[in-house]
C-alpha cells in the first residue's frame, strides 16, 4: 500500500482528524512502503508582535508567539495555483508489487498575474500570520476560500533548523512523505457544522522550498455548509517518532475569516436543475448518479481551448484534491483545481460525454 492508495481510502472517510491521523500513522508504521479583503496586491502591512501564549503539551510547556506579516501575493499566488508545483509524466513504480505506486499525468500552467489579481485580489487576507512554536516557525502566507463549491487553498511555510529529515519530501513530485515528515498542519472551520475538518492534499512548492523551509499548498474541501467569514482553526502537530508515542507539540491556532470567492451555477437545460457550481479554484458536480464512477471532466473556454480536469482512461489528473459526499445512488463530487480558472470564460462543462452549457 502506498500513499496514493491511502489518500483514496481516506477521501471516503468521514472527516475526523484525530481518527484519520492515528489510522494513517499506524498504517504507515505497519507497511513500510508508505476576513478581510485586500483591494490591491501591492498593499503592505507592517507586522506587530502579538502576546505570547503559554501552552502545555504532552511532554513540555512551550510558548507561542504570533505576528502579522506583509502579504506577498507575487510568491503565494503562484504557489497556491500550481506554477510552483511539479508536473510529471504518467509513471508506475514497482509494477510487480501487489499495490504499485501510480502517478497519473499531471500538467502545470503558469499563473497570469493580471488574471489572478482580477479574480483573487479582493478575496485574499490583508496580511499573513506567523507563529513561533519552540524551534518551529509556521507562517500562513495566504489563503482563498469558496463556500459555494466547498473548496479552499491554504499556502503556508514550516521552518525548522536542520530540516525535516531524509525522505520527508519527494522533490520530484512535490509530495510530503508522511512516513518521515513528522509535522501535521490541518484546518477546520469555526462554523457551527457537524464536520468542521477539511480534507485535503498537500503539495510542496518546489521552486521556493529549501531543506529547512518547506513552502506548502494545502488544497482542501468540506461539504458541510461552512461559511468563509467564520474563520478557521489551524491544528499544528509535531508527531512522536512512532504511532505509540505522544505528540511532541499539539496546538490550535486561529485564522480570521474572509469573503468567499463567487461561483457561477450551471443548469441542465432539459430540467432546469442545477448540476454544478464553478469558481476560480473549484468545481462542485451534482448532476445525479454515482460520481465516483466519473472518468472524464473538462471545461471548455470561449477562446476554443480546453482544461481537461480529469481523464482516467488516458491517465490524466489535473486536480489537487477531490471529495465525494452524499449517499448512493446520488453523490456529489467536489474538485479543487491545480490552476486558476476564470468562470466568465467557461462556456461549458463536460462530464462523461454530457455537455452542460454555462449561462453567465
Amino acid at each position: 500500500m502506498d500513499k496514493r492508495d491511502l489518500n483514496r481510502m481516506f477521501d471516503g472517510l468521514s472527516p475526523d482528524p484525530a481518527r484519520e491521523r492515528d489510522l494513517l500513522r499506524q498504517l504507515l508504521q505497519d507497511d513500510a512502503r508508505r476576513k478581510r479583503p485586500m483591494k490591491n496586491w501591492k498593499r503592505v502591512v507592517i507586522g506587530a508582535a502579538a502576546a505570547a501564549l503559554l501552552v502545555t503539551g504532552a511532554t513540555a510547556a512551550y510558548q507561542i508567539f504570533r505576528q502579522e506579516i506583509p502579504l506577498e501575493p507575487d510568491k503565494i499566488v503562484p504557489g497556491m495555483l500550481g506554477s510552483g508545483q511539479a508536473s510529471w509524466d504518467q509513471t508506475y513504480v514497482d509494477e510487480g508489487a501487489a499495490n504499485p505506486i501510480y502517478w497519473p499525468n499531471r500538467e502545470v500552467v503558469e499563473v497570469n498575474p493580471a488574471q489572478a489579481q482580477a479574480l483573487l485580489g479582493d478575496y485574499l487576507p490583508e496580511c499573513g500570520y506567523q507563529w513561533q512554536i519552540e524551534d518551529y516557525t509556521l507562517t500562513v502566507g495566504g489563503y482563498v476560500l469558496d463556500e459555494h463549491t466547498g473548496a479552499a487553498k491554504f499556502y503556508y511555510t514550516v521552518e525548522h533548523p536542520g530540516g525535516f529529515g531524509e525522505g520527508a519530501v519527494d522533490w520530484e513530485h512535490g509530495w510530503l512523505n508522511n512516513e518521515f515528515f513528522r509535522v501535521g498542519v490541518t484546518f477546520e472551520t469555526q462554523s457551527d457544522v457537524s464536520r468542521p475538518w477539511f480534507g485535503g492534499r498537500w503539495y510542496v512548492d518546489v521552486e521556493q522550498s529549501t531543506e529547512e523551509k518547506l513552502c506548502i499548498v494545502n488544497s482542501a474541501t468540506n461539504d458541510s455548509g461552512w461559511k468563509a467569514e467564520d474563520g478557521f482553526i489551524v491544528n499544528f502537530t509535531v508527531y512522536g517518532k512512532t504511532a505509540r508515542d505522544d505528540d511532541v507539540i499539539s496546538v490550535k491556532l486561529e485564522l480570521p475569516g474572509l469573503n468567499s470567492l463567487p461561483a457561477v451555477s450551471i443548469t441542465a437545460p432539459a430540467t432546469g436543475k442545477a448540476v454544478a457550481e464553478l469558481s476560480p479554484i473549484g468545481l462542485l458536480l451534482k448532476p445525479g448518479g454515482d460520481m465516483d464512477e466519473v472518468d472524464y471532466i473538462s471545461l471548455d473556454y470561449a477562446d476554443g481551448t480546453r482544461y481537461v480536469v480529469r481523464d482516467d482512461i488516458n491517465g490524466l489528473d489535473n486536480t489537487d484534491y477531490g471529495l465525494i459526499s452524499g449517499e448512493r445512488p446520488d453523490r456529489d463530487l467536489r474538485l479543487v483545481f491545480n490552476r486558476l480558472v476564470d468562470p466568465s470564460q467557461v462556456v461549458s462543462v463536460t462530464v462523461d460525454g454530457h455537455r452542460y452549457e454555462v449561462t453567465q
Side-chain angles (χ1 to χ4, degrees):
M1 179 176 291
D2 59 80
K3 53 183 174 289
R4 288 265 171 173
D5 293 318
L6 291 175
N7 272 295
R8 293 191 183 97
M9 180 191 301
F10 294 138
D11 287 353
L13 295 176
S14 296
D16 183 336
R19 176 170 174 260
E20 178 169 335
R21 185 197 69 196
D22 292 342
L23 180 57
L24 174 61
R25 292 170 58 198
Q26 186 63 54
L27 285 170
L28 289 172
Q29 181 186 34
D30 294 342
D31 186 349
R33 289 173 53 89
R34 195 43 192 173
K35 151 162 191 233
R36 293 178 288 182
M38 177 180 173
K39 300 300 182 183
N40 192 296
W41 282 11
K42 302 305 180 183
R43 180 177 177 182
V44 176
V45 178
I46 304 300
L53 300 175
L54 182 64
V55 179
T56 302
T59 59
Y62 43 90
Q63 288 185 318
I64 302 172
F65 299 89
R66 192 192 90 169
Q67 64 177 350
E68 297 180 357
I69 62 171
L71 193 73
E72 298 182 285
D74 293 339
K75 293 182 179 180
I76 65 168
V77 170
M80 279 197 296
L81 297 169
S83 58
Q85 301 172 29
S87 61
W88 56 75
D89 294 328
Q90 180 173 278
T91 305
Y92 287 92
V93 179
D94 193 7
E95 295 185 40
N99 294 291
I101 298 172
Y102 168 58
W103 298 95
N105 289 301
R106 174 180 167 86
E107 301 164 336
V108 172
V109 299
E110 293 295 320
V111 174
N112 180 313
Q115 182 190 49
Q117 166 65 38
L119 294 173
L120 303 183
D122 289 342
Y123 304 96
L124 288 164
E126 66 177 9
C127 65
Y129 299 91
Q130 185 176 86
W131 294 267
Q132 186 66 46
I133 310 168
E134 289 198 341
D135 57 348
Y136 289 86
T137 303
L138 171 67
T139 305
V140 178
Y143 49 108
V144 286
L145 310 172
D146 170 24
E147 62 193 32
H148 306 285
T149 69
K153 281 182 175 282
F154 303 92
Y155 189 82
Y156 63 90
T157 65
V158 181
E159 300 175 65
H160 185 248
F164 301 92
E166 184 177 357
V169 180
D170 177 342
W171 292 98
E172 178 183 358
H173 300 98
W175 190 267
L176 293 172
N177 186 340
N178 289 316
E179 186 177 0
F180 302 104
F181 186 62
R182 295 171 49 236
V183 179
V185 181
T186 60
F187 299 86
E188 58 183 274
T189 178
Q190 296 194 66
S191 297
D192 184 15
V193 294
S194 59
R195 294 181 295 184
W197 186 72
F198 269 60
R201 185 164 290 137
W202 297 261
Y203 286 98
V204 175
D205 181 346
V206 294
E207 292 186 353
Q208 299 188 73
S209 294
T210 67
E211 294 287 347
E212 295 187 345
K213 179 180 179 179
L214 297 181
C215 304
I216 301 168
V217 56
N218 180 5
S219 294
T221 189
N222 185 299
D223 66 344
S224 58
W226 56 278
K227 295 296 182 182
E229 65 183 9
D230 292 338
F232 281 81
I233 296 295
V234 185
N235 299 289
F236 179 83
T237 308
V238 179
Y239 305 123
K241 291 185 177 180
T242 73
R244 295 178 179 86
D245 293 338
D246 289 334
D247 295 334
V248 178
I249 296 174
S250 182
V251 298
K252 290 182 177 292
L253 313 165
E254 290 194 6
L255 281 178
L258 299 174
N259 290 332
S260 172
L261 288 165
V264 298
S265 182
I266 302 168
T267 60
T271 64
K273 177 185 176 182
V275 296
E277 300 283 341
L278 173 67
S279 83
I281 64 169
L283 177 68
L284 165 60
L285 290 173
K286 47 184 179 181
D290 201 342
M291 296 307 295
D292 57 0
E293 301 296 329
V294 170
D295 292 322
Y296 182 90
I297 301 166
S298 68
L299 308 181
D300 292 304
Y301 293 107
D303 64 3
T305 60
R306 174 175 293 171
Y307 166 26
V308 179
V309 180
R310 196 168 76 187
D311 183 354
D312 289 354
I313 294 175
N314 292 303
L316 179 65
D317 186 359
N318 283 326
T319 67
D320 272 353
Y321 184 65
L323 174 68
I324 297 171
S325 59
E327 300 294 333
R328 297 181 189 273
D330 294 327
R331 308 182 77 186
D332 298 339
L333 174 62
R334 288 170 169 81
L335 298 174
V336 187
F337 300 140
N338 72 348
R339 65 196 64 186
L340 182 65
V341 169
D342 184 350
S344 70
Q345 298 302 307
V346 178
V347 296
S348 65
V349 177
T350 300
V351 181
D352 279 353
H354 299 281
R355 189 171 186 265
Y356 302 100
E357 302 288 339
V358 177
T359 302
Q360 301 293 340

